[in-house]
Amino acid sequence: RPDLYAAAIPQVGVMDMLRFQKFTIGYVWCSEFGCSDDKAYFENLLKYSPLHNIRVPANPNVQYPAVLATTADHDDRVVPSHTFKYMAQLQYTIGGSPKQTNPLLLRVETNAGHGAGTPTSKQIDEKTDIYSFMAQNLGLEFNGDKSRQSPKTHYSSNIASIKNIYKKGSGGQMKVHDSLRFNKIYKC
């Protein structure tokens, strides 16, 4: 039901439920999820595997929400291929549709793993990107303790228009300014 959401941010997700056990430590999750090598589990896993359930919305007036999927290039728990495959399939299935105007983006943290031991500066960068993405795509404006929702603006094909970073201003207000730091966000 993509019509229920304006934005989605899948973070280091296990997107391929049929092959997760084939990579790094994924085999230990078989006790939790089941294993697709067993036909009984295969049928159930296929029903909710994010990668295998991307569909063009039946309603012609509905599009997928804005998506910012995140992963890290050295994640050895949930290998980045889950997110790469998911975003590639999303782009292939949905991205070419003329009704899909919401952005489909992939954020890859470089020289980082699953999260533990990530430097504070990288954590701040990631949270900034996520909150900026949400604010842009939900039409939110921040002004100190008071926030309000403004009408959603149309997404420009220029990825720079979506990239905003919040900086602490005087009086505790959050100020939005454009940033040209695009080494980690890719338009799919």
Side-chain angles (χ1 to χ4, degrees):
R1 299 273 323 262
D3 56 308
L4 297 178
Y5 305 96
I9 304 173
Q11 295 180 271
V12 295
V14 180
M15 305 297 195
D16 184 354
M17 297 306 297
L18 301 182
R19 295 181 49 82
F20 68 85
Q21 75 278 11
K22 309 275 187 205
F23 305 102
T24 63
I25 200 161
Y27 67 90
V28 301
W29 303 333
C30 287
S31 62
E32 184 176 349
F33 298 125
C35 182
S36 64
D37 296 336
D38 181 329
K39 185 174 172 38
Y41 288 119
F42 177 88
E43 298 299 326
N44 288 327
L45 291 168
L46 182 60
K47 290 176 185 174
Y48 74 88
S49 175
L51 176 66
H52 300 95
N53 284 284
I54 296 172
R55 309 275 188 271
V56 174
N59 182 337
N61 298 320
V62 171
Q63 63 174 315
Y64 261 66
V67 176
L68 175 63
T70 68
T71 190
D73 64 353
H74 285 77
D75 191 337
D76 61 353
R77 282 197 215 159
V78 181
V79 293
S81 65
H82 282 282
T83 303
F84 295 159
K85 290 190 293 183
Y86 177 77
M87 290 306 293
Q89 186 64 40
L90 189 62
Q91 180 62 36
Y92 177 78
T93 305
I94 306 298
S97 170
K99 68 181 175 183
Q100 182 64 34
T101 59
N102 290 330
L104 306 172
L105 303 176
L106 169 63
R107 182 187 192 281
V108 180
E109 186 64 62
T110 56
N111 299 314
H114 194 69
T118 301
T120 303
S121 62
K122 285 187 181 230
Q123 292 178 34
I124 291 169
D125 285 348
E126 180 181 37
K127 295 301 181 208
T128 299
D129 291 345
I130 289 170
Y131 287 130
S132 298
F133 180 84
M134 289 182 350
Q136 176 72 26
N137 288 285
L138 298 178
L140 300 177
E141 294 178 6
F142 295 93
N143 185 5
D145 292 333
K146 300 174 186 173
S147 61
R148 63 182 176 84
Q149 188 169 0
S150 62
K152 186 176 175 185
T153 57
H154 186 274
Y155 173 72
S156 166
S157 61
N158 181 354
I159 192 168
S161 68
I162 168 177
K163 181 67 177 146
N164 293 306
I165 293 182
Y166 294 97
K167 279 194 163 176
K168 190 97 173 164
S170 62
Q173 292 184 346
M174 301 299 279
K175 306 230 181 204
V176 180
H177 77 282
D178 289 327
S179 170
L180 299 176
R181 186 177 58 82
F182 297 113
N183 59 333
K184 299 179 290 184
I185 297 183
Y186 306 96
K187 184 174 181 181
C188 295

